[in-house]
Amino acid sequence: MNNHLKTLREGRGWTQGALADQLGVSRQTVNALETGRYDPALPLAFRIARLFAQPIESIFTPPEESDVPT
């Protein structure tokens, strides 16, 4: 899944640690989310969306069709 989490975080001037604290997760989780190594569970996705006051689908987008294995 693609996301704009790093851009949103940096736009607020937050470190990964600061965002992690606000979400109740580890800094490593934020890093994994930002680099696309980890897709959030739905409750975490909702917390992220609420924190940035945006719909989930404006932060997280499905991979391009060409990226999906067949």
Side-chain angles (χ1 to χ4, degrees):
M1 184 176 316
N2 301 314
N3 69 72
H4 307 286
L5 191 56
K6 182 176 181 178
T7 303
L8 292 169
R9 174 183 60 77
E10 289 177 342
R12 301 260 176 119
W14 295 339
T15 64
Q16 287 182 344
L19 177 57
D21 288 345
Q22 293 184 64
L23 295 172
V25 299
S26 69
R27 186 203 55 78
Q28 291 85 354
T29 298
V30 171
N31 181 270
L33 286 165
E34 289 184 354
T35 58
R37 291 189 323 256
Y38 173 70
D39 291 336
L42 201 50
L44 177 55
F46 273 108
R47 286 199 312 269
I48 292 167
R50 276 194 301 271
L51 181 63
F52 289 105
Q54 294 190 17
I56 289 174
E57 59 271 10
S58 73
I59 300 171
F60 299 97
T61 57
E64 298 296 321
E65 295 252 348
S66 60
D67 295 342
V68 178
T70 54

